[in-house]
Structure formats: C-alpha cells, structure tokens
C-alpha cells in the first residue's frame, strides 16, 4: 500500500505519512478499488449420451464416428491377432558365393547349419503356430490334444538326450515370452520344454518317463506328466469353456447369471495360473468362446466378456470391437450400476495408458467416450478419482499433443471425449489438488495451443478452466503457466462469435485478475489485450442493442422467451468482460491507462445509457463498479474526470432503481465524484441528497458507510448543510453511529466526519438540543476505551478493533465532544 500510486480518497484526504498504522492500511483497503465477483457460467446438462453433442461443430453426422452401431460375434477375429497392412521391403543383401578357386574345400565359406538344440527350437515354433490355428474348441479336447497327424513324412526323428535338454542352448525353448508359473519347482523346470514336432517324439528328463510318439498311427497316447499350464488347461479351463458353450446353446432361465458367474470363475482361474495377458498359449480358444457369447445381447454378460477380453490383451480389430461394446453399454444410464459392480475401470484406464493413437486410435476414441459417460455418475466419478484417472488422462493429453498431422483429426475426436471427461472430474472437490499436482492445467494449455482451431476442444477446456479458476490453488497454477494470457486472448479473437466459449474464457480472466496484482499487469501488457477486449465489448453491445431494437419495432409487447434468453446470454458476456476491466484497473500502473482510454469509458457510459436495471441488473452493477474503480484515478487526461457530470446523471438511474446492489454501487460512485464541486451542485439540484439521506436507514453497514461518505462531501459546502439538516441528516447520522458504532469503528468514524462537516464549523445550531445531548452521551460512552472494546470477544480481532477505534473514530469523536461541550457552556 505504501508504494501504491497516490489516488484521491473517496471521502477524506489521506495522511501524508510514510509509516502507516494497522488502521490506516485497513481504511485504505476498504476505500480502495474493489474486486468484482460474478457467478460462474452454468455448464449445460448433457442430452442423450453420444460421442458428440448437439452443439458440436464437427459437421454432419456422416463425417463423425458413429455413436450407434451393432456388434455381433462375426465382427471379431477368432485368432485375435491384428492384421498387418505393411509389407516389409526386401533386404539389400546379395549372397556371396564361394570362390571356385578354393579347390580344397569349396563349402568352407558357407555358414554351418544349426545343431540339434536349434532344431528343437524350430520344432517348438512350428508346434505353437499349429496349436493357435486350431479350427474349433473341439480340437482342444484332452483325447485329441495329445495326438498329432504327421503332415510331412520325413526321416526317422532323432531323440534328444538328457544332457541336450539341460544345456544352455535349450534354455530359451521354454514358451518364449510366456512367464513361468511361480508354483513350479526347479526340479520340474525342464519338463516344460515343448516336443520337437518334426521328430514326432517328446523329450524326457529321465529314464522313468515314457517315450511317446506323436502322430505315428492310432496308438499314440498322452504323456503321463504334463507341464503345469496344460494341467490347468485340461483340468480347469477347458471344462469351464465347455460349460460356457453348453449353457450358451440352451435357453434356460437364469442362463445369463450363470454365464456371468462362469466368466468370473474363468477370469479368476487365469489370474491364479498367471495366464492372463498374452501368457496363455491357447488364448485364441478362450477368445473364440467369449466372442460367440456376444450374440446374446446381454449388457451384463457383455461387460463381463469385455473385462476378460481386455485382461487377455486383445488388440487390433478385437480391441476396437471390445471398446465399442463397452461404449455401447455405457450409453444407457441404467447400466451405470453394472460398471459399479463389475471392476472394469482399471482395464479401461490401461487402454488409455498403453495404446498408441496411430495404431489403436479408434479404440481409444470409444474407450474415452465410455469414460466420459461414466464420469457423469457421481459414484463412478469417485472410483475414477481413486484409480488415478486424472494422471492417466494427463499422460494421454501429452501423447495427443505430439501426434503427426495425419492423425490430427482422430486425435481431435479423442480430445473432445477426454476433455469432457476432465470437465466432469473437475466438479469434484477432491480433483482440484490432482489437477495441480499432475500438471494437468499446463498440459491443457499445450492442447489449446495445438488445437486452437477446434471449437469443441476449446469449449471443453474453457469449461474446465472456469470451474478450476474459482479456487486459489488452481488459479495460481493457471496464472503461472507461460503465455496463458496471450493464449486466452488469441482464442477470444479467433472464436469471438462462439458465445459459450467467450463467456467462460472471460470468466477465467476475471478470476485470474481478482487474485493478485501480477496477473492484472501481465494481462494488460499482452499484445492486443485492450483492442481484443474492447472489440468484444463493442460487438456484443451492438448485438444486444440491435436485437432489442428489432423486437421493439416488431411489436410493443414483452419480449418472447427466446429473445429474452438471447439477451441474457449476451449480457452475461458483457458482465464477465466488464469484470475483467474492473479488476485490471486496480493495479496502479493499469488504472490510469484505462481511465484515459476514450473507447473504454465511452462503452461503459453507453451501457448505462442503453440498458435498464430491471432487465440487466448484473451488467449495470458491474459497469458502475468499474466506473467506481476508474474514478479513483483523477489525472488530467482521465476520461472519467472529463465526463463526470454525464456519469453522475447516469448514476441517478441506479439510485432510483429497486436493486440494492445498484444503489450501493451508484452511491460509491457519487462518493468519489462528489469530491468536485460541480458534481455536488448537480447532486443538490437533482435532489440526490434526499435519497442519500434515506439510505442511512438501511440495515446494511456497507450502504450506510457509502451514504455517510457522500454526505461528508456534500456538507463541505455551507449552503448544503441547511438542506441536509432539513432532510434529517443529523438525526439519522446519530442513529447510525449508535447502531453500528461498537461493531464497526470505521463506519462510526465516517459518521462522525459527516457530523463534523455539518455542525463543526459554527453550524452547531443546526442540531437540536435533544439530539445534541444524545450525541454527546453516545460519544462519551464510545470514547471510553474499556467500554468501547468490551464488545470484542475474539482476542485475535481485538488488536484490529483497537487500531480502528484509535485512528478512525477517537480523533473525530474528541473534536465533536469539545464542540458540543463549548455549546453547553455558552448556553
């Protein structure tokens, strides 16, 4: 406050002291420029659940990804492997033939063929491929799984010795990328080796194990001992799959519940055996059975199927169809309870975390779309927060910011869903610290910079900012983001016609400039700040004025609801914009520039002239507050000072209205402008003083405080004192002092200043004897320190009240007591 630019006080001159007391600072804070507040724009309730709402700007429905579609078992790929659309280019390699001049050993330079362990590895790969290509689940039955027809007869296969089985060269034979079960013992680890299909025999670890022929005639049998995965498959998983098929083939009541229970058991069995993800060799058989169940069209069953398929890490077309299936289920609010009971949220978040946009972009789109729908449910929203959805979303935002240009359209569609999800999450109080700690707000600014032309994305992010910027920690995070002000101004300029976007960005700027001095100056110093804001002001003011004029020309009847709603929306934009101006001019380096801006002042005055309080109360109150703040800067080039008489006349509309807020702001403006004699004369001529005296009856301390300030200035002119006394100003000031004194020593001091101007300059005869005695009694009691401060119970506030009493009230009260005593002695 000590370094703040000197401005004219509303009611009394400031003390010219370098060191200010606590009460001086408090008084200046109360008399200083006021930050304006307003309500947050309401987020419209979403209509039917679909990818893009009715207000989306993404063209006709034919150019958007569909929200409605049908899914059947035939849409899935049985082998669950993604198709490859890329053909590998041939290697630039030319074989080098041996030199014919080498007569000793012409084959010396050729590479040697692999030895037997590698042949075993080759046999493993061939057998695994053949297993995955089995035609139906029936081929996986135990009686058939241990036999194999010999397709390519060859020479008698070699048998691998025990030493070869245990050699390091064969250590990689064990199921490739499959993870070994933790329940296996080291003594049986070598039994997990796949047989050499080419040889047709199963290698053994010791002589106690029988040698088995695979595919040699009808007498081939299964081995006595199998690896643990085969045991789990044959003894547990295969019976479950057979039971699933059996129940699915029937039509008994309760079959859906039984199928859901079997899916749960199958999931649990695979998890216990460590066979989820892609660790199960026969997962294609499992998926084939699950895909056939989709045709039953049960939301509950399909959600169980989707959960299990995601746990098995499907990819490609199957991943897309599973995400579509989940999206389809989530479109109905009645299915939200299923998502609460079936724990599939983790799997959906894993899709967001690990899938690549360029490979699985459409699957991501429908997965995020489902999460958008679900986040509208408060119970599921809490689940999403508990499972760290905000951090996952932040990582996906980062990936979507760096996609290639060819993926921009798809990434934009995903971002519409993702930002809508974050918009829903931002409503919950627990999400705010997460938005800050995971740097979501700066990441959203990066998204705005990359997708600044996408109105849907910009609108969703503006809704997030309008919600979060109402809270200090989020507002600070946004204010500390580099170039956030220039980014918002750029969006306001690009999308000035999109009203729902503009109003939220302006609301966010208003919140930023309401918190501290730095944002006010940073915003003002941005390139094209004032031109952008004033263009918006002029555009929306012209829009509303033209619409009002058209309605009045067409018919004198009241406006139709549609026209009234449109005018209200336009007013809301102007309210948020004027609030930004009012908050910005609080900064001492910004205020004088705004006060000298002719276009800005003319637009504010035009609003007061063209609007009425009954139809645009919030707008009129905010305009008056902005003028009140600007009126503190009384430099020679101030447009407020040049137009103060016109502004004073316009304020009469607010004083005569039925809105208490409008009256309060108009009274504050008169308190500033009445420092000038021509404004005081105008106020007396227009009977403004009568209305101000009436305001002393208000029960609002702020209203009385402002009224006392206006009366203090009006009483500076001796001719005005008689008129004010005739209106009962003295008696009402005494009542105001009695009622508010002990609770508000600043108000009591202001009332004493007004009384001093009325009776302290030889005009004490204007006060009746009874009023004089009553005033003297009140001042005597209030001047007693113990009596005055006994009203304060809170020890922390006691120092504040004491400082206010000592500096604001006591000096003026003692002067009044002296004058009143001298009058009694004279009498």
């Amino acid at each position: 406050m000590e370094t703040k630019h000197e401005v004219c006080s509303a009611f009394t001159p400031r003390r010219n002291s370098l060191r200010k007391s606590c009460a001086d600072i408090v008084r200046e804070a109360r008399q200083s420029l006021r930050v304006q507040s307003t309500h947050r724009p309401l987020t419209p309730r979403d209509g039917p659940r679909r990818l893009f709402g009715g207000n989306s700007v993404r063209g006709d429905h034919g150019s958007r990804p569909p929200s409605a579609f049908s899914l059947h078992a035939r849409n899935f790929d049985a082998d669950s492997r993604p198709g490859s659309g890329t053909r590998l280019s041939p290697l630039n390699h030319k074989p080098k033939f041996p030199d014919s001049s080498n007569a000793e050993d012409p084959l010396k330079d050729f590479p040697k063929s692999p030895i037997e362990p590698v042949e075993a590895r080759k046999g493993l790969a061939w057998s695994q491929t053949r297993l995955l290509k089995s035609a139906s689940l029936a081929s996986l039955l135990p009686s058939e799984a241990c036999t194999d027809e010999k397709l390519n007869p060859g020479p008698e296969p070699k048998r691998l010795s025990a030493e070869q089985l245990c050699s390091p060269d064969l250590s990689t034979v064990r199921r490739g990328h499959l993870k070994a079960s933790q329940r296996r013992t080291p003594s049986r680890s070598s039994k997990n080796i796949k047989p050499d299909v080419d040889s047709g025999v199963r290698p053994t670890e010791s002589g106690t194990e029988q040698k088995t022929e695979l595919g040699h005639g009808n007498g081939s049998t299964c081995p006595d001992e199998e690896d643990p995965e085969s045991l789990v498959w044959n003894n547990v998983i295969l019976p479950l799959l057979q039971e699933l098929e059996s129940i699915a083939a029937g039509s008994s009541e309760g079959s859906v519940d039984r199928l859901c229970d079997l899916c749960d058991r199958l999931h649990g069995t695979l998890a216990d055996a460590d066979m989820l993800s892609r660790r199960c060799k026969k997962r294609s058989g499992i998926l084939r059975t699950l895909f056939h169940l989709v045709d039953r069209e049960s939301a509950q069953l399909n959600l169980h199927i989707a959960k299990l398929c995601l746990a098995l890490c499907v990819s490609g077309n199957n991943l897309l169809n599973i995400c579509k299936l989940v999206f389809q289920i989530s479109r109905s609010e009645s299915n939200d309870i299923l998502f609460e009971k079936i724990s599939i949220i983790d799997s959906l978040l894993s899709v967001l975390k690990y899938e690549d946009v360029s490979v699985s972009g459409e699957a991501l789109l429908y997965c995020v779309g489902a999460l958008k729908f679900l986040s509208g449910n408060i119970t599921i929203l809490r689940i999403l927060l508990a499972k760290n959805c905000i951090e996952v979303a932040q990582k996906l935002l980062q990936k979507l910011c760096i996609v290639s240009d060819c993926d921009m359209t798809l990434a934009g569609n995903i971002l519409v869903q993702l930002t809508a999800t974050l918009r829903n999450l931002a409503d919950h109080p627990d999400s705010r610290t997460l938005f800050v700690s995971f740097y979501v707000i700066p990441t959203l600014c990066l998204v705005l910079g990359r997708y600044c032309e996408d109105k849907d994305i910009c609108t969703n992010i503006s809704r997030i900012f309008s919600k979060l910027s109402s809270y200090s920690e989020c507002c600070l995070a946004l204010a500390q983001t580099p170039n956030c002000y220039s980014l918002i101004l750029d969006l306001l300029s690009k999308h000035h016609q999109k009203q729902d976007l503009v109003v939220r960005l302006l609301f966010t700027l208003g919140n930023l400039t309401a918190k501290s001095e730095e944002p006010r100056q940073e915003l003002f110093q941005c390139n094209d700040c004032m031109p952008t804001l004033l263009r918006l002001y002029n555009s929306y003011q012209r829009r509303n004025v033209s619409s009002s004029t058209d309605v009045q020309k067409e018919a004198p009847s009241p406006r139709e609801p549609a026209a009234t709603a449109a005018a209200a929306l336009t007013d809301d934009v102007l309210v948020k914009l004027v609030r930004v101006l009012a908050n910005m001019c609080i900064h001492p380096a910004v205020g004088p520039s705004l006060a000298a801006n002719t276009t800005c002042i003319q637009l504010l005055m035009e609003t007061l002239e063209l609007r009425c309080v009954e139809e645009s109360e919030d707008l009129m109150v905010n305009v008056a507050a902005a003028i009140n703040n600007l009126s503190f800067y009384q430099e020679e080039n101030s447009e407020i000072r040049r137009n103060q008489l016109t502004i004073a006349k316009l304020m009469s509309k607010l004083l005569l209205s039925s809105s208490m807020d409008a009256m309060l702001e108009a009274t504050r403006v008169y308190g500033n402008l009445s420092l000038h004699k021509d404004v005081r004369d105008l106020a007396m001529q227009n009977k403004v003083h009568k209305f101000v005296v009436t305001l002393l009856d208000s029960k609002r301390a702020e209203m009385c405080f402002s009224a006392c300030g206006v009366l203090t200035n009006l009483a500076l002119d001796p001719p005005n004192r008689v008129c004010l006394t005739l209106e009962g100003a003295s008696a009402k000031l005494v009542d105001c002092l009695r009622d508010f004194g002990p609770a508000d020593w600043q108000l009591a001091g202001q009332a004493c200043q007004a009384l001093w101007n009325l009776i302290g300059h030889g005009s004490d005869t204007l006060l009746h004897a009874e009023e004089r005695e009553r005033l003297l009694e009140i001042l005597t009691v209030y001047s007693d320190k113990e009596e005055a401060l006994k009203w304060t119970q809170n020890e922390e506030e006691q120092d504040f009240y004491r400082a206010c009493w000592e500096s604001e009230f006591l000096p003026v009260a003692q002067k009044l007591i002296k004058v009143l005593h001298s009058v009694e002695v004279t009498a």
Side-chain angles (χ1 to χ4, degrees):
M1 298 296 295
E2 291 179 0
T3 59
K4 189 171 183 179
H5 182 73
E6 186 70 22
V7 295
C8 292
S9 172
F11 311 125
T12 57
R14 290 183 178 178
R15 293 183 178 89
N16 188 19
S17 59
L18 293 177
R19 183 178 179 84
K20 295 181 173 64
S21 65
C22 176
D24 291 332
I25 296 175
V26 170
R27 183 186 70 254
E28 287 184 352
R30 184 166 186 172
Q31 294 178 356
S32 68
L33 315 180
R34 288 174 171 81
V35 171
Q36 283 307 107
S37 61
T38 183
H39 61 83
R40 179 173 62 82
L42 297 177
T43 300
R45 181 176 176 82
D46 292 332
R49 292 185 173 184
R50 51 189 178 184
L51 277 175
F52 304 101
N55 295 326
S56 175
V57 296
R58 274 171 152 66
D60 57 9
H61 295 284
S63 61
R64 308 178 189 174
S67 295
F69 40 76
S70 59
L71 283 173
H72 303 283
R74 64 176 180 271
N75 299 120
F76 294 85
D77 298 331
D79 59 1
S80 76
R81 292 177 298 178
S84 176
T86 305
R87 181 182 297 274
L88 298 177
S89 59
L91 295 175
N92 295 324
H93 171 68
K94 296 181 179 180
K96 183 179 180 182
F97 295 98
D99 189 358
S100 59
S101 62
N102 190 352
E104 296 181 359
D105 189 1
L107 300 180
K108 181 179 179 180
D109 293 333
F110 278 106
K112 297 293 187 286
S113 60
I115 58 176
E116 290 178 351
V118 182
E119 292 177 353
R121 198 175 297 122
K122 177 182 177 183
L124 170 65
W126 189 86
S127 61
Q128 285 181 328
T129 305
R130 187 157 178 249
L131 178 62
L132 291 174
K133 291 183 178 180
S134 57
S136 65
L137 185 60
S139 65
L140 300 175
L141 294 175
S143 59
E144 298 177 6
C146 301
T147 61
D148 190 347
E149 290 186 356
K150 191 170 183 180
L151 300 178
N152 297 315
E156 184 68 20
K158 298 180 181 180
R159 295 182 181 177
L160 300 178
S161 64
E163 288 80 11
Q164 289 174 326
L165 289 172
C166 299
S167 66
D169 292 334
L170 277 179
S171 60
T172 57
V173 177
R174 300 178 189 175
R175 291 191 290 157
H177 64 279
L178 300 178
K179 184 178 179 181
S181 175
Q182 296 178 354
R183 290 182 291 277
R184 295 174 188 157
T185 60
S187 62
R188 296 189 56 189
S189 61
S190 61
K191 296 181 182 179
N192 297 332
I193 302 175
K194 290 289 291 182
D196 188 342
V197 180
D198 291 337
S199 65
V201 298
R202 179 181 292 275
T204 59
E205 181 182 20
S206 64
T208 59
E209 201 168 333
Q210 298 292 329
K211 301 176 183 179
T212 306
E213 296 285 341
L214 294 179
H216 283 279
N218 297 329
S220 60
T221 59
C222 294
D224 293 338
E225 292 190 28
E226 299 176 286
D227 64 89
E229 182 176 321
S230 297
L231 290 173
V232 173
W233 176 268
N234 294 328
N235 296 331
V236 183
I237 297 176
L238 190 57
L240 287 175
L241 295 178
Q242 291 172 339
E243 190 173 356
L244 277 171
E245 290 187 337
S246 175
I247 296 175
S251 59
S252 59
E253 294 183 3
S255 60
V256 171
D257 292 334
R258 294 174 61 193
L259 290 172
C260 293
D261 181 61
L262 285 172
C263 287
D264 276 342
R265 288 168 55 191
L266 179 58
H267 189 283
T269 301
L270 291 170
D272 292 340
D274 199 19
M275 295 168 63
L276 288 176
S277 185
R278 292 180 174 269
R279 292 188 289 272
C280 179
K281 292 179 291 185
K282 301 179 181 180
R283 62 190 286 275
S284 60
I286 300 173
L287 293 173
R288 189 182 304 110
T289 302
L290 295 175
F291 295 156
H292 283 305
L293 299 177
V294 173
D295 287 337
R296 296 185 67 89
E297 298 182 353
S298 166
Q300 181 183 0
L301 177 58
N302 284 345
L303 201 56
H304 280 278
I305 294 170
K307 176 185 174 182
L308 188 48
C309 289
L310 291 175
L312 290 170
C313 292
V314 293
S315 58
N317 183 61
N318 287 341
L319 176 61
L320 171 59
N321 285 327
I322 288 298
C323 290
K324 282 186 172 182
L325 190 65
V326 175
F327 175 84
Q328 194 177 57
I329 298 169
S330 66
R331 287 196 66 192
S332 175
E333 289 188 38
S334 60
N335 291 332
D336 287 356
I337 188 67
L338 299 178
F339 287 90
E340 297 176 25
K341 295 179 178 179
I342 302 172
S343 54
I344 194 175
I345 300 297
D346 286 314
S347 300
L348 298 178
L349 293 178
S350 294
V351 174
L352 270 62
K353 189 183 298 185
Y354 298 115
E355 294 300 327
D356 185 21
V357 179
S358 60
V359 178
S360 307
E362 195 174 357
L364 276 171
L365 172 66
Y366 286 104
C367 183
V368 181
L371 291 175
K372 177 187 72 172
F373 298 152
L374 298 174
S375 61
N377 182 297
I378 185 61
T379 303
I380 302 178
L381 187 146
R382 295 192 186 100
I383 296 174
L384 289 170
L385 290 176
K387 294 185 179 298
N388 223 2
C389 177
I390 290 182
E391 182 183 13
V392 174
Q394 192 268 347
K395 300 296 183 185
L396 182 55
L397 285 173
Q398 288 181 325
K399 291 192 291 185
L400 294 170
C401 281
I402 57 175
V403 298
S404 60
D405 292 340
C406 62
D407 294 324
M408 282 280 288
T409 301
L410 181 57
N413 291 337
I414 298 172
L415 277 169
V416 173
Q417 313 307 314
L418 188 58
T419 52
T421 305
L422 289 172
R423 178 198 67 199
N424 293 338
L425 293 173
D427 282 328
H428 199 279
D430 295 342
S431 70
R432 293 160 197 159
T433 56
L434 300 176
F435 272 92
V436 175
S437 60
F438 291 123
Y439 302 98
V440 178
I441 294 175
T443 308
L444 289 172
C445 288
L446 292 177
V447 174
L448 282 177
R450 181 77 190 274
Y451 296 86
C452 59
E453 301 292 341
D454 194 312
K455 295 181 181 180
D456 291 338
I457 296 175
C458 293
T459 301
N460 282 342
I461 295 179
S462 71
R463 287 173 176 169
I464 298 172
F465 284 171
S466 70
K467 293 179 180 182
L468 296 181
S469 63
S470 300
Y471 305 95
S472 298
E473 64 274 21
C474 299
C475 192
L476 179 61
L478 181 57
Q480 293 176 344
T481 302
N483 302 321
C484 76
Y485 302 104
S486 57
L487 178 62
I488 293 176
L489 289 172
D490 183 54
L491 293 175
L492 287 172
S493 180
K494 287 180 182 295
H495 306 297
H496 61 276
Q497 296 290 343
K498 190 164 176 53
Q499 193 163 304
D500 54 344
L501 171 60
V502 169
V503 72
R504 286 167 175 82
L505 291 177
L506 290 173
F507 179 75
T508 301
L509 287 179
N511 291 339
L512 289 170
T513 54
K515 303 297 182 182
S516 61
E517 293 281 15
E518 291 79 6
R520 296 164 187 154
Q521 188 172 21
E522 288 180 22
L523 174 61
F524 180 75
Q525 291 176 345
C526 286
N527 292 333
D528 294 332
C529 171
M530 289 308 298
T532 298
L533 293 178
L534 295 180
R535 277 198 303 269
L536 280 174
Y537 197 159
N538 183 67
S539 172
Y540 278 88
Q541 182 135 288
R542 299 279 84 74
R543 179 186 303 184
N544 210 356
V545 170
S546 61
S547 63
S548 301
T549 306
D550 293 341
V551 171
Q552 292 176 359
K553 287 181 178 180
E554 290 177 3
S557 60
R559 293 186 183 183
E560 295 182 0
T564 303
L569 291 174
T570 304
D571 275 1
D572 202 20
V573 172
L574 294 176
V575 167
K576 305 305 188 280
L577 194 154
V578 171
R579 176 182 175 233
V580 174
L581 298 176
N583 290 348
M584 264 203 309
C585 70
I586 294 176
H587 195 285
V590 177
S593 298
L594 284 182
N597 191 307
T598 303
T599 305
C600 178
I601 304 305
Q602 289 297 326
L603 285 171
L604 292 171
M605 293 170 57
E606 187 179 80
T607 303
L608 292 175
E609 184 177 358
L610 297 176
R611 306 299 173 85
C612 62
V613 177
E614 289 74 20
E615 292 184 358
S616 307
E617 179 179 355
D618 288 345
L619 178 57
M620 298 289 276
V621 169
N622 277 270
V623 169
I627 291 177
N628 175 57
N629 286 356
L630 291 168
S631 64
F632 275 90
Y633 304 99
Q634 295 289 330
E635 281 79 358
E636 291 295 331
N637 61 344
S638 172
E639 289 295 320
I640 295 289
R641 186 172 180 177
R642 292 176 185 172
N643 297 278
Q644 58 187 7
L645 292 179
T646 304
I647 293 174
K649 292 177 183 178
L650 292 172
M651 287 296 146
S652 302
K653 291 173 59 177
L654 278 69
L655 278 176
L656 299 175
S657 69
S658 58
S659 169
M660 293 299 293
D661 291 334
M663 293 180 199
L664 176 60
E665 291 301 334
T667 306
R668 287 171 175 166
V669 173
Y670 268 110
N672 292 338
L673 298 181
S674 59
L675 290 169
H676 303 278
K677 189 176 186 308
D678 51 352
V679 176
R680 294 197 296 268
D681 293 342
L682 178 66
M684 297 301 294
Q685 292 172 8
N686 293 336
K687 312 299 181 183
V688 172
H689 66 287
K690 294 184 177 182
F691 195 81
V692 174
V693 170
T694 305
L695 293 180
L696 291 174
D697 294 328
S698 173
K699 302 300 181 182
R700 295 177 62 180
E702 287 295 325
M703 185 71 78
C704 293
F705 184 84
S706 299
C708 288
V710 177
L711 294 175
T712 300
N713 292 341
L714 292 178
L716 290 174
D717 301 325
N720 297 342
R721 296 168 189 166
V722 177
C723 296
L724 293 175
T725 302
L726 292 176
E727 292 297 328
S730 300
K732 290 182 183 294
L733 285 170
V734 173
D735 292 339
C736 189
L737 176 64
R738 179 197 63 198
D739 296 337
F740 291 103
D744 192 338
W745 292 117
Q746 291 175 290
L747 174 55
Q750 192 64 64
C752 288
Q753 289 183 25
L755 286 167
W756 173 259
N757 286 355
L758 279 173
I759 66 175
H761 301 281
S763 304
D764 50 275
T765 54
L766 296 176
L767 201 64
H768 295 297
E770 295 181 0
E771 293 176 350
R772 189 183 309 113
E773 292 178 3
R774 189 159 59 98
L775 175 59
L776 183 60
E777 180 182 358
I778 293 172
L779 291 174
T780 303
V781 173
Y782 287 175
S783 298
D784 185 352
K785 187 174 183 179
E786 294 183 359
E787 185 71 21
L789 298 179
K790 74 177 184 179
W791 301 92
T792 308
Q793 302 295 332
N794 192 337
E795 294 182 0
E796 296 180 356
E797 296 179 355
Q798 207 163 41
D799 292 339
F800 166 76
Y801 277 98
R802 184 186 296 110
C804 291
W805 177 79
E806 290 176 351
S807 61
E808 298 284 340
F809 170 76
L810 189 59
V812 186
Q814 289 174 342
K815 289 195 299 182
L816 279 173
I817 291 174
K818 185 177 180 180
V819 170
L820 294 175
H821 276 307
S822 64
V823 172
E824 287 185 350
V825 171
T826 304

